[in-house]
Amino acid sequence: MSRVDTSRLIGHIVSGHGVASGRSDGSPYPAGTIAMQTPVFRQAGLDLSDCWPGTINLSFAPLELRLKDPDHCFPHLRWTDLHPPETFSFWRVDLISENGQQACGWVYRPHPETKQRHWQSSSTLELLAPRLNGVKPNSRMEIVDHRSRIALVDGVRLRSRLLECLKFRVLAAQQSFFVSTEGEQRRVWLRQAWPEALDLDDGDLEAVWSQARMLYADD
């Protein structure tokens, strides 16, 4: 299986950059980014006043996360003068800590295409929630999304299998294959040839296509 799609997922907590909470000595945001962003989110329509002003970082490594249909998406919000506006999405979830505490929280996702620094791994969720006691690195936490919008995929396996799938197409068609699968046509082709690979993002697909060109296409 290359995809796990369920309403309940269990990960383990990892240490973050310390920027969201303002704990990092090297952060340009000593108040913490969450405290700075909260009034902006409230103005946009999302009240996070019940959440602790920092993130819980939940890892599902080596699997990678895929999210869809957020409860809120705020495009191009300006919350600081230190870099351009960012886009943020939020998913409402229930959290259950290793010691049994339960709380309603949010998956908090600054979109990587608008984020200039402090990127998160594709295996890690950032969560906002009320303060929970006993939550520490290496402890487990369960998230419950009753709408099953969060999936885990084996990205390494998908990329490897896709490269193998492309091998015979490229050897047979050479450069004409790449011409016929440029831009939006790439996903159109995948829907017909191997829909499982649609779980990969555009950056992953471009990397696999480039590798296939290098390995299998004539100069």
Side-chain angles (χ1 to χ4, degrees):
M1 288 288 291
S2 295
R3 181 183 180 94
V4 178
D5 198 346
T6 179
S7 63
R8 308 179 76 96
L9 299 171
I10 297 176
H12 67 277
I13 295 171
V14 295
S15 298
H17 299 294
V19 175
S21 62
R23 292 178 174 178
S24 171
D25 293 336
S27 172
Y29 314 107
T33 57
I34 300 301
M36 295 173 65
Q37 293 166 0
T38 294
V40 181
F41 295 142
R42 184 184 302 116
Q43 188 174 12
L46 176 60
D47 185 2
L48 298 173
S49 59
D50 63 336
C51 294
W52 178 72
T55 58
I56 299 170
N57 297 278
L58 194 63
S59 174
F60 298 90
L63 299 179
E64 300 172 9
L65 289 146
R66 298 292 183 267
L67 298 96
K68 63 181 181 180
D69 302 330
D71 291 288
H72 300 277
C73 182
F74 304 124
H76 307 299
L77 286 187
R78 179 173 291 280
W79 61 274
T80 176
D81 294 330
L82 297 182
H83 61 71
E86 290 185 75
T87 297
F88 299 86
S89 289
F90 294 84
W91 290 258
R92 191 59 156 165
V93 292
D94 296 330
L95 308 178
I96 306 172
S97 69
E98 189 174 81
N99 60 13
Q101 292 182 89
Q102 299 187 32
C104 292
W106 296 94
V107 173
Y108 159 84
R109 184 175 184 266
H111 286 217
E113 67 272 17
T114 62
K115 190 175 177 66
Q116 292 194 339
R117 58 177 71 91
H118 305 119
W119 295 278
Q120 289 291 345
S121 161
S122 59
S123 298
T124 301
L125 282 182
E126 291 186 273
L127 304 171
L128 297 175
R131 183 181 289 275
L132 298 171
N133 296 323
V135 172
K136 57 186 179 181
N138 298 319
S139 62
R140 296 194 310 166
M141 177 171 283
E142 180 177 5
I143 62 170
V144 183
D145 172 28
H146 298 284
R147 294 169 58 191
S148 299
R149 298 165 296 173
I150 304 171
L152 297 174
V153 301
D154 188 341
V156 172
R157 180 171 180 266
L158 275 178
R159 289 186 287 270
S160 175
R161 291 185 62 199
L162 177 58
L163 182 62
E164 186 66 20
C165 174
L166 296 186
K167 175 180 178 179
F168 301 102
R169 272 74 171 184
V170 175
L171 289 174
Q174 290 297 308
Q175 294 297 337
S176 63
F177 171 80
F178 297 103
V179 172
S180 66
T181 56
E182 287 183 347
E184 295 180 359
Q185 291 304 309
R186 185 169 296 171
R187 289 191 177 273
V188 172
W189 181 83
L190 282 172
R191 287 188 190 96
Q192 299 173 346
W194 197 45
E196 189 176 1
L198 292 170
D199 279 328
L200 296 173
D201 63 27
D202 289 343
D204 281 335
L205 293 180
E206 181 61 33
V208 175
W209 250 251
S210 296
Q211 190 174 8
R213 187 192 298 270
M214 179 183 68
L215 292 174
Y216 309 129
D218 295 336
D219 294 336

